[in-house]
Amino acid sequence: MEMVPVGWSVRALMTGTPPPSPADVPRRAAELMAAYLDRAGAAARLLFDLAAQERQPASA
């Protein structure tokens, strides 16, 4: 059986930065959504470009 890590590292939790305060949650959520949308947008552009390349006729 293979062991698979789940969740955060205990070492990082004990030595890292403290968790955000409740006042920081909206700001952090906005940052996470912005990062997600940036990556999703980049992936969508890549897929669009790949699809556009396949539609172009091959030159002889």
Side-chain angles (χ1 to χ4, degrees):
M1 177 181 1
E2 181 179 345
M3 301 294 279
V4 179
V6 176
W8 295 286
S9 161
V10 173
R11 182 175 294 153
L13 289 173
M14 298 306 291
T15 61
T17 60
S21 70
D24 289 335
V25 171
R27 178 190 56 81
R28 183 69 178 138
E31 289 173 357
L32 291 172
M33 279 304 294
Y36 169 76
L37 293 175
D38 285 344
R39 289 183 179 171
R45 283 189 295 277
L46 175 65
L47 292 175
F48 180 78
D49 291 343
L50 289 173
Q53 288 175 0
E54 289 200 10
R55 280 190 235 126
Q56 293 177 354
S59 54

